[in-house]
Amino acid sequence: MKIAERIYYIVLMLFFLWVFLSFCDIIADNITPNPTHSIYNFFVVITKFWEA
C-alpha cells in the first residue's frame, strides 16, 4: 500500500510540475512579438483535446 501511495504522490507532483513549467513557458513566450508555445505545453494539449 505504501508503494502505491508513493507512486500516486510522485505522479501528482509530476503533473503539477508540468502545469507550472507550461505556465512559465507561456509567460516567457509572451514577451516575444510572435509567441510560439511547445506542443507539449499543458494548455496547448488541453486546448487541442477540447477542440477535437
Side-chain angles (χ1 to χ4, degrees):
M1 192 62 168
K2 275 193 162 188
I3 294 174
E5 188 175 327
R6 287 184 186 202
I7 291 172
Y8 170 75
Y9 284 119
I10 289 171
V11 169
L12 189 64
M13 293 307 293
L14 288 174
F15 174 75
F16 284 135
L17 180 65
W18 180 38
V19 172
F20 175 73
L21 291 176
S22 295
F23 183 73
C24 291
D25 176 49
I26 288 175
I27 290 174
D29 288 345
N30 283 345
I31 296 173
T32 62
N34 188 14
T36 311
H37 307 298
S38 170
I39 60 169
Y40 302 112
N41 188 310
F42 172 77
F43 302 103
V44 172
V45 171
I46 293 298
T47 304
K48 298 244 184 212
F49 176 76
W50 286 110
E51 286 179 355

